[in-house]
Amino acid sequence: MKPGDTERKPWIVGVSGASGTPYAAAVLRALLAAGESVDLVVSRASRLTILDETGIAFRDAHWQEDLREWLGRGADGKPGTFEVPVDDVRYWAAGDMAAGPSSGSYATKGMLIVPASTACVAGVALGLSKDLLQRSASVTLKEGRQLVVCVRETPLNGQTLKHLVTLDEAGAVVLPASPAFYAGATHIQDLVDFVAGRTLDAAGVPHRLYRRWKGELGGGSAPSGD
């Protein structure tokens, strides 16, 4: 569906300043592969993290070019690992408080914050709406839409745990970025894809990012029949 289509109903993906930009890239790739429309909000702090973890300077004026390069990289940083069309991504600057996602009348399926920093968690839990990412999350909650918060921090102090409980009580899904090893991971991308897949599971978006548990010990090391 084209960005200008009046029937368009996207998922908002918010990328905060926590380490873990490969998680965001994997989620974005999988959403687009599933035929979903995406509204992307990249916080100012996350630009520094993207630059540090990938070497890519994410720029408002050249966001399509920079996004295509970012999503094309694997978790190991190798360029050209994936080829991802970004035609059905709409980008909103983090400082644009008049953007579509800032209003409840702007139709969306919900929002995924991946990765979510503790500062982002606090801002959403307290309803600060200091930027478009936090405002979009607040709108998602008040409209009763799905909000998945993929928190990426360790250890967690008591105040952050209280904020996460607040989000849970408000209806959000709190999903720590905790890779599992039963799916037979042999590469860093497999671990990243597991977290991305669980994030999409929480949103109800179909994907084939990881091998699901089938109740058989050692199944993760067996050759895949998928």
Side-chain angles (χ1 to χ4, degrees), residues 214-226:
K214 297 182 179 179
E216 299 176 5
L217 293 175
S221 60
S224 174
D226 294 343

Side-chain angles (χ1 to χ4, degrees), residues 18-225:
S19 176
T21 56
Y23 294 131
V27 165
L28 287 164
R29 284 194 298 264
L31 283 171
L32 294 171
E36 299 286 348
S37 299
V38 173
D39 275 24
L40 177 64
V41 182
V42 178
S43 76
R44 289 188 175 91
S46 69
R47 294 181 187 216
L48 298 177
T49 309
I50 292 171
L51 179 62
D52 183 56
E53 295 185 346
T54 70
I56 298 170
F58 198 92
R59 303 160 294 176
D60 284 348
H62 303 280
W63 69 266
Q64 284 184 308
E65 174 187 342
D66 297 336
L67 179 63
R68 192 175 291 109
E69 182 180 358
W70 176 29
L71 299 188
R73 297 194 179 208
D76 58 4
K78 183 179 178 181
T81 302
F82 302 97
E83 185 173 344
V84 185
V86 297
D87 295 339
D88 206 6
V89 177
R90 180 179 292 170
Y91 173 73
W92 301 98
D96 184 2
M97 298 302 284
S102 69
S103 172
S105 66
Y106 183 80
T108 73
K109 292 184 176 180
M111 182 174 184
L112 315 176
I113 304 178
V114 52
S117 66
T118 54
C120 175
V121 166
V124 177
L126 296 173
L128 298 182
S129 294
K130 74 167 191 175
D131 62 8
L132 182 60
L133 195 159
Q134 291 184 15
R135 172 61 184 169
S136 299
S138 294
V139 168
T140 299
L141 287 176
K142 82 178 182 69
E143 295 295 325
R145 299 167 185 161
Q146 183 69 283
L147 175 65
V148 182
V149 180
C150 185
V151 60
R152 214 307 307 163
E153 188 62 82
T154 189
L156 297 172
N157 63 29
Q159 198 61 50
T160 298
L161 291 171
K162 291 176 183 177
H163 291 151
L164 291 173
V165 169
T166 296
L167 291 179
D168 174 77
E169 291 175 341
V173 175
V174 175
L175 195 148
S178 302
F181 296 84
Y182 62 77
T186 59
H187 190 276
I188 186 174
Q189 188 67 54
D190 298 326
L191 298 175
V192 167
D193 284 347
F194 180 87
V195 172
R198 294 297 287 151
T199 301
L200 294 173
D201 286 345
V205 177
H207 65 86
R208 297 172 64 87
L209 288 175
Y210 68 89
R211 184 196 303 267
R212 297 185 182 279
W213 177 251
K214 297 182 179 179
E216 299 176 5
L217 293 175
S221 60
S224 174

